[in-house]
Amino acid sequence: MTLQKKALLYQKKLASYQAFLGGLVEDAQAINFRAEHQFECLQDWSLLHSLEEVREWFCAQRTNCPMQVTDIPLKETKGWLIHPDTGNITHESGSFFSIHGVRISQSAQREVGSKGWDQPILEQIGYDGGILGLIRKRFDGIPHYLIEAKAEPGNYQMIQMSPTLQATFSNLQRAHKGRKPRFAEYFEEPEQHQASVLYDQWLSEDGGRLHNKRNKGMLVEIPEEHKIQVPDSFIWMSMFQIKACLQENAWVNPHIRGIIAHL
């Protein structure tokens, strides 16, 4: 099947599915938005890459990742300060996060019982963590999503599939004095870059290790005619492909799952 025929078939079958749901569901938004999400999950409609090509790309990204991570004593970490009295750990810039202790009591419903416990906990400076953003773009009318093979020091096997933008506000403000994260402008100033915001909501993070942390989850769509340069570490994937990769062992990170959970 040619790409043009595939695109036309997508539109024809989607319209038929939406018409069918129109007789069952009164919510027009559900028909136009959620119904398309359900529809695009049923079959791989990608016009750019096969699922096998996506798998090959991801495995190559893991194999060729140059980043190395070495465990070192905490006291040797450059740029991080340990307060001599409290033992709290902070960054010299005053940004990113701090590590301090918490004491938990009245915990009868937890596995430790009512005696409670003490533990260290990470606290994001300002509490609001950052932006987890996914760009959607249609190719011949078919939605595709821009995914990054992102290296993080704590990732299982180093690289995982991540949203288009995964950055703390400290990163976005360049507290590390490095470059600004790619594609940040589509989420910080969507209207100025022809991006339509489809989803914008605060998402909670793991409360067992992170103190009151939340991240802003966003899904934005850019016009089909809008051109952007995509580095080799990024790839356009169909929703079917994203969900197929969820079946792989630790390929898709939890931030993508959090963004698409609302669809």
Side-chain angles (χ1 to χ4, degrees), residues 9-260:
L9 183 61
Y10 176 88
Q11 297 297 339
K12 181 179 179 180
K13 288 193 172 184
L14 173 61
S16 176
Y17 183 57
Q18 290 174 328
F20 167 73
L21 290 179
L24 304 175
V25 182
E26 295 182 358
D27 188 346
Q29 182 181 6
I31 296 173
N32 295 329
F33 188 68
R34 295 186 183 276
E36 182 169 21
H37 171 69
Q38 295 173 6
F39 181 77
E40 61 181 316
C41 291
L42 298 175
Q43 179 177 328
D44 189 2
W45 293 100
S46 173
L47 300 180
L48 305 178
H49 312 282
S50 68
L51 180 57
E52 185 57 35
E53 288 170 340
V54 170
R55 289 190 172 111
E56 291 174 358
W57 164 81
F58 181 72
C59 291
Q61 292 291 320
R62 275 190 168 176
T63 299
N64 299 323
C65 177
M67 190 169 84
Q68 297 181 350
V69 179
T70 304
D71 290 336
I72 62 172
L74 188 58
K75 64 182 180 180
E76 294 181 10
T77 52
K78 298 177 182 178
W80 291 87
L81 311 174
I82 302 176
H83 192 280
D85 296 327
T86 66
N88 292 350
I89 300 172
T90 57
H91 192 260
E92 60 186 7
S93 68
S95 300
F96 303 109
F97 59 87
S98 66
I99 303 174
H100 60 84
V102 291
R103 175 161 294 162
I104 297 90
S105 58
Q106 301 297 322
S107 55
Q109 294 182 345
R110 291 298 304 272
E111 60 276 7
V112 297
S114 59
K115 62 182 180 180
W117 74 94
D118 292 351
Q119 70 168 74
I121 200 162
L122 280 76
E123 181 173 302
Q124 192 77 37
I125 302 301
Y127 292 109
D128 293 338
I131 297 177
L132 307 172
L134 193 58
I135 289 179
R136 179 166 93 164
K137 182 177 184 291
R138 293 177 185 271
F139 293 85
D140 286 338
I142 299 177
H144 293 67
Y145 303 82
L146 189 56
I147 302 298
E148 181 182 11
K150 189 175 184 67
E152 295 280 17
N155 274 352
Y156 177 75
Q157 294 193 3
M158 195 68 72
I159 283 183
Q160 293 180 349
M161 292 182 181
S162 305
T164 315
L165 177 66
Q166 179 179 310
T168 65
F169 289 115
S170 296
N171 292 140
L172 293 168
Q173 295 160 6
R174 300 175 64 192
H176 47 52
K177 299 181 180 179
R179 66 168 176 81
K180 189 145 187 169
R182 293 184 179 92
F183 308 114
E185 63 273 17
Y186 293 99
F187 303 94
E188 292 184 308
E189 302 173 318
E191 292 182 358
Q192 296 184 27
H193 294 85
Q194 299 179 291
S196 301
V197 178
L198 304 180
Y199 176 73
D200 182 352
Q201 190 58 265
W202 288 103
L203 306 174
S204 61
E205 293 293 339
D206 175 22
R209 304 293 180 267
L210 306 172
H211 191 221
N212 289 336
K213 183 177 180 182
R214 60 180 188 167
N215 282 310
K216 181 180 280 291
M218 296 183 69
L219 174 64
V220 303
E221 182 166 339
I222 59 176
E224 188 163 330
E225 65 276 8
H226 191 79
K227 306 295 183 184
I228 58 176
Q229 294 294 321
V230 178
D232 291 340
S233 57
F234 288 77
I235 192 170
W236 290 105
M237 293 174 61
S238 67
M239 186 57 67
F240 180 93
Q241 292 171 346
I242 292 172
K243 294 204 169 182
C245 288
L246 282 169
Q247 301 180 49
E248 302 290 345
N249 184 21
W251 279 24
V252 181
N253 81 1
H255 301 314
I256 289 181
R257 299 199 299 270
I259 295 169
I260 67 175

